[in-house]
Amino acid sequence: MAALRRRRDRPKFGPDGRPTGRVAQMRQVYGMTKTADPSVTWWMLGVFVGVLAVALLIGVLTGHPIYLTVIGLPIAVLGALVVLARKAEAAAYSQIEGRPGAAGAALRSIRRGWDIDEQPVAVDARTQDSVFRGVGRAGVVLVGDGAPHRIGKLLEAERRKVARVLPSVPVHVMQAGSGEGQVPLKSLGRRVQRLKPVMTKDEMSQVQRRLKAIGGIRMPVPKGVDPLRARPDRKASRGR
């Protein structure tokens, strides 16, 4: 009864006026995916029909065509939804590829086992190249987001900073992108998750605390201001 009450009280429309139901969300995902990849419809139909055909064939061979077809129907629907999910993921990555922060978005798709910083730990203000950091049982991973010929220097500087604080912890360096030697966005999460664990959860927590002590991006000091020579305003302190 409580579950039915929560479902009944759940708002049918979100703040943007769009429906919040499961079917409505799937329609939105399908529409977004079809815009980026029109072949998704044919892939879904192909998987759906293919699974039903296999179920029907097995049913004919075993003498239970109707029974196997009924069983194969939800499996066919599930197969079509799996295709939609994969195509939607690829479409989402294709939309953010090449944009600043795309590597961070790909890393945050990792659901468990890794602690990914929300903000980049290093940024080149002129080129918008950035480095994102994650901590897991495999050690520390640094992912560069930027042009291959530029991001290497920023990655190496961050790697040295981490190595000074954590000399015995593995540091994995990667570059996100579609160039040679880079990891595509859609494969970045899987590549990180495949790294071999070498630490316990307690050791991972200790590494996280040490890295938080390093801090993140430091805001630049305005040009012409020397913080070592700055003097307090005595008149302002006396209320004048």
Side-chain angles (χ1 to χ4, degrees):
M1 294 296 294
L4 292 176
R5 194 179 300 112
R6 287 195 300 268
R7 182 177 299 180
R8 182 187 60 191
D9 297 338
R10 184 183 303 168
K12 296 183 179 180
F13 297 91
D16 56 356
R18 296 182 178 181
T20 58
R22 186 67 57 84
V23 176
Q25 292 176 355
M26 290 177 60
R27 288 178 179 174
Q28 294 175 11
V29 172
Y30 172 75
M32 182 272 294
T33 307
K34 187 178 180 180
T35 302
D37 185 2
S39 67
V40 63
T41 303
W42 299 109
W43 278 101
M44 293 177 66
L45 284 175
V47 171
F48 181 83
V49 174
V51 172
L52 275 185
V54 172
L56 179 60
L57 178 61
I58 296 176
V60 171
L61 294 176
T62 58
H64 302 283
I66 298 178
Y67 177 71
L68 267 297
T69 301
V70 172
I71 293 179
L73 183 60
I75 300 177
V77 173
L78 179 61
L81 292 179
V82 169
V83 172
L84 176 60
R86 294 294 179 86
K87 290 287 187 179
E89 183 181 14
Y93 284 132
S94 65
Q95 290 180 357
I96 66 174
E97 188 171 4
R99 297 183 181 181
L107 283 176
R108 286 190 291 272
S109 66
I110 301 175
R111 292 176 175 81
R112 60 181 180 178
W114 286 84
D115 181 24
I116 308 298
D117 292 341
E118 290 291 331
Q119 300 295 330
V121 293
V123 173
D124 188 326
R126 183 176 60 86
T127 63
Q128 296 300 310
D129 294 344
S130 56
V131 176
F132 291 87
R133 185 177 66 202
V135 180
R137 293 184 59 191
V140 179
V141 62
L142 300 174
V143 180
D145 187 356
H149 62 279
R150 296 194 309 256
I151 195 63
K153 184 181 296 185
L154 198 63
L155 270 172
E156 178 61 19
E158 193 62 30
R159 187 197 66 78
R160 290 180 179 177
K161 183 192 300 184
V162 174
R164 285 196 299 268
V165 179
L166 303 166
S168 60
V169 176
V171 181
H172 308 276
V173 179
M174 304 179 186
Q175 292 186 18
S178 56
E180 184 178 356
Q182 294 184 317
V183 182
L185 286 179
K186 62 180 181 180
S187 304
L188 185 59
R190 292 192 296 271
R191 178 72 67 86
V192 172
Q193 288 181 307
R194 289 175 183 172
L195 295 174
K196 184 179 179 180
V198 295
M199 297 188 300
T200 63
K201 291 184 178 180
D202 292 338
E203 291 172 340
M204 175 180 166
S205 299
Q206 295 176 9
V207 169
Q208 290 172 336
R209 289 193 293 268
R210 295 286 297 275
L211 287 178
K212 286 181 180 179
I214 298 179
I217 304 172
R218 295 183 178 180
M219 296 301 295
V221 178
K223 186 176 181 180
V225 177
D226 188 347
L228 300 179
R229 296 184 178 180
R231 297 180 179 179
D233 189 343
R234 299 183 182 276
K235 292 183 179 181
S237 64
R238 291 196 297 265
R240 297 181 181 179

